[in-house]
Every structure is written in C-alpha cells, then in structure tokens.
C-alpha cells in the first residue's frame, strides 16, 4: 500500500515532505482551490510520482502542464467522460490516470463499469461542496460493496488517527492501492505539518 500527499504548494514545504519519501506528491492545477499550484517544482527523488490534479480542464492545457512539469500521474477530479480520457491517452504515454468519484452515504458502483478499462486507478473521495480538500470522511463501509479488482486510492478527510481503520480496509481484501492525505495534515491550506506526516508514515509502514 502506497502513500500520497496531496495539495503541495510551497517549495520549501514540499521539499520537506519529499524528504519523507511518500510514493506520490499531488499538485492541484485548479484556480478555485486554495491549494492551486503555480511556480516551479524543485528536484525531488525519482521514486516519488508527481501527480497533477485537474478539474474539467481543457485537454490542451492539461497536456501542456503534464509536459511542462513532467508529471507521472494525473488525477481527474471533475466530470470527465470516457471520451475525454481516451483523448488524453492519445496525447500522453506512460502517465497514470486516476479518476475520482465522490461518495457520501451511498454510491452506485455500476457507474464505474465503463471507466475501469480506461483508467489505472479509481480514487474515492468525500462528496462535498469543494472538489476535494473538504477534510471530511465518507462512510468507508460503503466500500464493502465495491465489486471490482481495479485498485483504488482512498481519500477524503483522512487524519493522523485513522491508521487502524485503514488497516481494517486493507485486511478486508479490498484492492486499496494508495492512501491519499491532505487537509487534516496541514497548518494552513498548502502548508503540511511535517511532524504529523512523518509520524503517520512511520505507522503506515507497519500496515
């Protein structure tokens, strides 16, 4: 199981997070987000996959940003269609595609059927007023109904004290690939609490 730290914004802070060697670092390219990333991504370890988070972005802009920042994964957080994803794949090679779906109290997993052969991973986040970063968990028991073997990222309000609950999901046999942390590990939007992440990562390694 892998760890993603999302919502990186400031160079010095992201360098400190990168020293902790998460598997993914997420950069949000969405102007309405308080964690919208602009600027330069410094050199980080090659073991960390730079992930761009996009919301209904024009394909030309998305492709341009992937190439500019040498992103290795893209996370689609909007209402992107199958056709949209296929178009992206015609322009980009060797880039992981993660499609996000918001969950509240229940979810119709059948809507994933047409996506599962087009994306590398699903990501399940809490359905809220913002496109992510709400700091609230959905009911993880809903995942018991997940019918596929397609691996997924778990996101949405995950905090420092959730290790045992994450362990339960892993031990249930669900194909959880990555745990995605963000707002509950922040001092302010885009500024991560390094001590909290380090402690969480150390506990996470033992799962």
């Amino acid at each position: 199981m892998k760890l993603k730290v999302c919502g990186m914004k400031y160079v010095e802070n992201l360098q400190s997070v990168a020293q902790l060697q998460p598997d993914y670092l997420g950069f949000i390219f969405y102007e309405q987000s308080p964690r919208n990333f602009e600027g330069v991504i410094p050199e980080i370890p090659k073991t960390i996959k730079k992930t761009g988070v996009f919301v209904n972005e024009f394909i030309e802009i998305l492709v341009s940003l992937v190439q500019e920042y040498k992103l290795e994964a893209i996370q689609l957080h909007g209402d992107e269609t199958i056709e949209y994803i296929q178009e992206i794949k015609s322009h980009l090679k060797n880039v992981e595609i993660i499609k996000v779906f918001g969950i509240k109290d229940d979810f119709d997993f059948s809507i994933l059927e047409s996506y599962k052969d087009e994306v590398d991973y699903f990501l399940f986040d809490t359905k809220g007023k913002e496109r992510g970063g709400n700091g609230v968990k959905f009911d993880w028991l809903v995942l018991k109904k997940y019918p596929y073997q397609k691996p997924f990222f778990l996101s949405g309000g995950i905090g420092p004290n959730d290790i045992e609950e994450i362990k339960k999901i892993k031990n249930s046999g669900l194909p959880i690939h990555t745990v995605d942390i963000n707002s509950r590990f922040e001092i302010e939007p885009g500024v991560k609490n390094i001590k909290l992440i380090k402690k969480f990562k150390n506990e996470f390694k033992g799962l």
Side-chain angles (χ1 to χ4, degrees):
M1 197 161 53
K2 298 182 184 299
L3 181 65
K4 175 172 173 273
V5 181
C6 199
M8 305 312 306
K9 187 166 183 177
Y10 302 104
V11 169
E12 190 173 326
N13 188 242
L14 78 85
Q15 286 176 317
S16 297
V17 173
Q19 286 177 3
L20 300 178
Q21 298 269 342
D23 301 285
Y24 294 82
L25 274 182
F27 300 87
I28 298 172
F29 297 97
Y30 181 52
E31 288 184 359
Q32 295 180 42
S33 170
R35 301 170 185 84
N36 182 49
F37 184 81
E38 297 175 309
V40 176
I41 300 178
E43 193 73 29
I44 61 174
K46 297 193 185 310
T47 53
I48 300 174
K49 290 183 178 177
K50 291 179 287 187
T51 306
V53 179
F54 300 94
V55 180
N56 299 327
E57 185 58 88
F58 289 111
I59 287 176
E60 296 81 1
I61 294 175
L62 184 152
V63 170
S64 173
L65 288 167
V66 169
Q67 293 170 341
E68 178 184 349
Y69 287 103
K70 297 180 172 58
L71 303 177
E72 290 129 318
I74 55 174
Q75 184 173 312
L76 303 175
H77 231 290
D79 309 300
E80 296 87 4
T81 63
I82 299 296
E83 293 74 22
Y84 179 99
I85 293 170
Q86 290 170 337
E87 178 70 14
I88 286 173
K89 289 167 72 174
S90 73
H91 294 285
L92 299 172
K93 306 299 179 191
N94 303 316
V95 175
E96 291 181 5
I97 297 179
I98 305 156
K99 181 69 185 85
V100 179
F101 292 90
I103 297 178
K104 198 170 183 183
D105 302 320
D106 201 2
F107 187 73
D108 179 7
F109 286 104
S110 68
I111 68 174
L112 307 180
E113 180 68 35
S114 57
Y115 284 91
K116 67 183 176 64
D117 293 330
E118 296 293 342
V119 303
D120 295 287
Y121 306 102
F122 293 125
L123 183 149
F124 299 124
D125 196 1
T126 305
K127 193 171 188 175
K129 62 177 183 175
E130 305 295 338
R131 297 277 189 170
N134 290 287
V136 178
K137 281 203 289 289
F138 64 89
D139 183 358
W140 291 354
L141 291 176
V142 173
L143 296 173
K144 286 187 173 183
K145 300 177 184 176
Y146 182 65
Y148 306 113
Q149 289 305 307
K150 173 71 68 177
F152 63 83
F153 285 48
L154 180 63
S155 187
I158 295 170
N161 299 318
D162 285 327
I163 286 289
E164 285 304 313
E165 291 303 309
I166 293 167
K167 186 176 181 179
K168 286 179 187 176
I169 292 179
K170 185 188 178 198
N171 291 344
S172 74
L174 284 165
I176 180 170
H177 179 270
T178 298
V179 169
D180 187 348
I181 62 174
N182 188 350
S183 60
R184 301 272 310 274
F185 288 84
E186 287 184 327
I187 298 164
E188 61 183 70
V191 180
K192 305 308 182 203
N193 185 318
I194 305 304
K195 287 183 180 177
L196 273 186
I197 295 176
K198 185 175 183 179
K199 182 176 182 293
F200 184 82
K201 187 171 187 290
N202 286 339
E203 294 172 349
F204 187 81
K205 284 192 295 189
L207 291 180

